[in-house]
Amino acid sequence: IKWNKSILMMDKIKIQSAIFQIAASISCTTTTAFNPSSLTFAKKFNFRIFSTDNESAQYNVDTDSSLSFTYETSLPESQYTQVLISQSLQPIATKLRSFYDEKFQDPRQPDSSRFCWDPWFVNVGDRKANQEEEGGEEGNEEISNMVDGEREATDKQCQYSLKRIQTNDFFTEDDFSDLVEDLTQLGRSIGLTAITPPWISLYTNGDMQNLHTDAPHGPCAFVLSLCREGDFEGGETMLLRSKILELWRGFDGSRGLETGSIMRYIPPTPLGRCIVFDPRIPHGVNKVIGTQDPRKGRIIVHGWFNEPEVCWFGPWAESKIEEMNSLLDEALQPIVQTLGDGEIGRVCGYLACRIEVDQDGFPDNIVAVCDTLQADWDDFKGVIGYDEADRPVMEDAVSDVKLTIYESLKSLNFGEGEDGRAVVVPFAFE
């Protein structure tokens, strides 16, 4: 599809809605939502620096920053954060749940909008042969040591069991537009300006999702709860603790591990809570224990945030955005040079930095609002020097990257202006 400048002047939500409907009609369940903003980025070495141009600035200036997450830590001190939480979508979640309840309130009354739910049930082995032929399955390094019958037993395991439908096929056009607008505004608080077509999923007794990853869909996955307290048990979002993925690094054989040390279980309630997590982490949904009544199930809206862009918040003069972007681009060049010279080991993940600007235009605070950076241990440089006591200093690539970014941003001056200005700058390390 070719887009021209006249299309860019159309209402963003209408464009997204149209693209979602097209994607759903051709079963493109992972199609990225079209974002009218013109994304420009420079790909340098193993990371991307994102900025916006003057034409797209109108889509990335928010005077209201009330939709946000609770995580906010000084950039040099920020640590890998697996889950972000926000309760700021409570109003739209309550509205959507009311619509859902209205549709299901009379189980004896037929309703065509209830007929098109997809009963999604997938075993591990479903279509596995075709995937392996197409190169879709990675080889298992322990395949030669499989126990007799292990493959067959694995293939019989349930991977996904739930009922789902695209949100634009279920909710009213106005409700769907409000949902997309609120989700994209929340995403912009961490520098992500678009979402994949969101699903609404229903889990009743016995439904679940086994462990899997969703790395290709976007830097962050989101789950918005429409669940009520006490309707069922289970249904928690399960995430493998990140330290388990590095089990053999500094392994301690003196103690054992149990479930609480291996998995995280994020409750599906309260209604309106939105969690965002690193989709590279193996995750799933704990089995729901309850009834088959859809009025008492685990009901959630879910998808992925993507399309990183610089996002401006507060009383910025839009006529100055082009100048501010040029200022940012210039400030980020030392980062390109430092990270590109190979002195710092490779990192991977997503980092969004929020710069809060004072009235004189200087950074008043620089914080990380999303941080999933991890070091690539295949590129670990080990001892990089010695301290004054002649003790070895080990490389900490993640901290070095954050400190490099912080040093480049702290000396910026955005010019005099009103108080309350901020800008979120995203970095995607691949």
Side-chain angles (χ1 to χ4, degrees):
I1 302 175
K2 293 184 179 180
W3 300 90
N4 56 39
K5 290 184 178 180
S6 63
I7 289 289
L8 296 180
M9 301 307 293
M10 292 173 59
D11 181 79
K12 177 172 71 171
I13 301 303
K14 290 182 179 178
I15 295 176
Q16 283 189 325
S17 178
I19 293 298
F20 289 163
Q21 292 174 16
I22 294 172
S25 69
I26 59 176
S27 299
C28 291
T29 58
T30 60
T31 298
T32 299
F34 172 72
N35 185 348
S37 303
S38 177
L39 175 65
T40 61
F41 63 86
K43 187 171 183 181
K44 302 290 186 179
F45 311 102
N46 65 327
F47 70 101
R48 295 181 183 180
I49 293 177
F50 298 87
S51 64
T52 58
D53 59 25
N54 195 41
E55 283 188 340
S56 65
Q58 59 179 307
Y59 297 108
N60 292 305
V61 180
D62 285 315
T63 56
D64 178 15
S65 58
S66 59
L67 301 185
S68 61
F69 295 97
T70 56
Y71 182 76
E72 189 175 292
T73 304
S74 173
L75 178 56
E77 299 173 1
S78 177
Q79 301 291 323
Y80 173 83
T81 304
Q82 197 176 63
V83 178
L84 303 179
I85 299 173
S86 175
Q87 198 68 35
S88 54
L89 297 184
Q90 176 81 41
I92 185 60
T94 301
K95 187 178 180 182
L96 296 180
R97 179 62 202 236
S98 296
F99 179 86
Y100 178 93
D101 287 339
E102 181 181 340
K103 287 293 181 181
F104 283 92
Q105 66 179 346
D106 186 354
R108 295 184 181 275
Q109 180 64 38
D111 189 325
S112 60
S113 64
R114 301 204 306 253
F115 297 166
C116 51
W117 285 69
D118 171 27
W120 197 38
F121 185 89
V122 180
N123 277 332
V124 171
D126 287 341
R127 294 193 69 248
K128 193 170 184 179
N130 291 338
Q131 290 175 348
E132 289 175 347
E133 290 175 3
E134 297 167 3
E137 288 280 328
E138 292 292 334
N140 189 329
E141 68 274 14
E142 300 177 357
I143 192 74
S144 61
N145 297 322
M146 269 197 171
V147 175
D148 185 32
E150 181 180 348
R151 177 185 289 274
E152 292 76 14
T154 301
D155 287 349
K156 292 178 182 177
Q157 301 305 307
C158 177
Q159 183 63 62
Y160 308 108
S161 175
L162 56 123
K163 281 72 69 177
R164 63 180 185 171
I165 186 175
Q166 289 280 327
T167 51
N168 63 294
D169 288 333
F170 183 72
F171 296 115
T172 67
E173 182 178 349
D174 287 344
D175 286 352
F176 171 74
S177 296
D178 290 344
L179 170 66
V180 172
E181 180 60 35
D182 284 359
L183 280 170
T184 51
Q185 185 177 343
L186 181 62
R188 286 195 294 271
S189 73
I190 54 173
L192 298 171
T193 63
I195 59 174
T196 58
W199 293 91
I200 175 173
S201 290
L202 165 65
Y203 297 72
T204 54
N205 186 54
D207 285 337
M208 49 86 75
Q209 285 195 44
N210 223 324
L211 295 178
H212 62 284
T213 65
D214 299 309
H217 301 324
C220 295
F222 67 83
V223 174
L224 173 61
S225 172
L226 305 187
C227 305
R228 288 193 301 245
E229 300 274 1
D231 280 350
F232 58 90
E233 295 182 2
E236 298 89 354
T237 298
M238 306 183 300
L239 299 112
L240 191 69
R241 292 188 180 274
S242 56
K243 65 181 180 181
I244 300 301
L245 298 175
E246 301 176 356
L247 183 63
W248 304 116
R249 188 165 68 92
F251 179 72
D252 181 6
S254 64
R255 65 187 186 93
L257 298 175
E258 295 184 343
T259 300
S261 301
I262 298 171
M263 301 294 299
R264 297 181 66 178
Y265 291 85
I266 312 298
T269 54
L271 187 149
R273 179 162 66 185
C274 182
I275 67 168
V276 163
F277 60 88
D278 182 354
R280 302 171 301 171
I281 292 289
H283 59 276
V285 176
N286 199 19
K287 182 178 290 189
V288 168
I289 301 173
T291 73
Q292 295 296 336
D293 189 342
R295 296 168 295 183
K296 296 183 178 181
R298 179 187 189 263
I299 307 158
I300 55 106
V301 172
H302 57 104
W304 294 267
F305 289 118
N306 49 31
E307 298 291 352
E309 289 188 21
V310 171
C311 296
W312 306 84
F313 298 90
W316 293 95
E318 291 197 30
S319 60
K320 294 287 188 179
I321 293 297
E322 185 175 13
E323 178 184 343
M324 296 300 99
N325 272 298
S326 298
L327 181 68
L328 268 179
D329 288 341
E330 183 178 347
L332 295 176
Q333 289 310 304
I335 301 176
V336 174
Q337 181 177 352
T338 300
L339 299 184
D341 62 14
E343 293 185 6
I344 298 178
R346 178 177 179 264
V347 301
C348 53
Y350 179 73
L351 176 68
C353 308
R354 180 182 174 95
I355 308 170
E356 297 171 356
V357 182
D358 64 21
Q359 291 182 338
D360 295 323
F362 293 102
D364 187 48
N365 199 14
I366 302 176
V367 296
V369 290
C370 185
D371 183 354
T372 65
L373 293 191
Q374 291 281 13
D376 178 358
W377 291 103
D378 285 343
D379 196 36
F380 180 57
K381 301 185 182 304
V383 177
I384 58 174
Y386 295 86
D387 63 13
E388 294 179 354
D390 203 32
R391 293 171 300 193
V393 176
M394 307 298 288
E395 182 191 49
D396 185 350
V398 172
S399 294
D400 290 344
V401 165
K402 293 172 189 174
L403 185 59
T404 299
I405 293 173
Y406 177 78
E407 292 295 332
S408 297
L409 297 179
K410 71 176 185 180
S411 59
L412 287 171
N413 189 313
F414 294 92
E416 295 182 357
E418 295 183 50
D419 200 10
R421 294 176 295 167
V423 57
V424 173
V425 184
F427 300 85
F429 294 81
E430 301 173 338

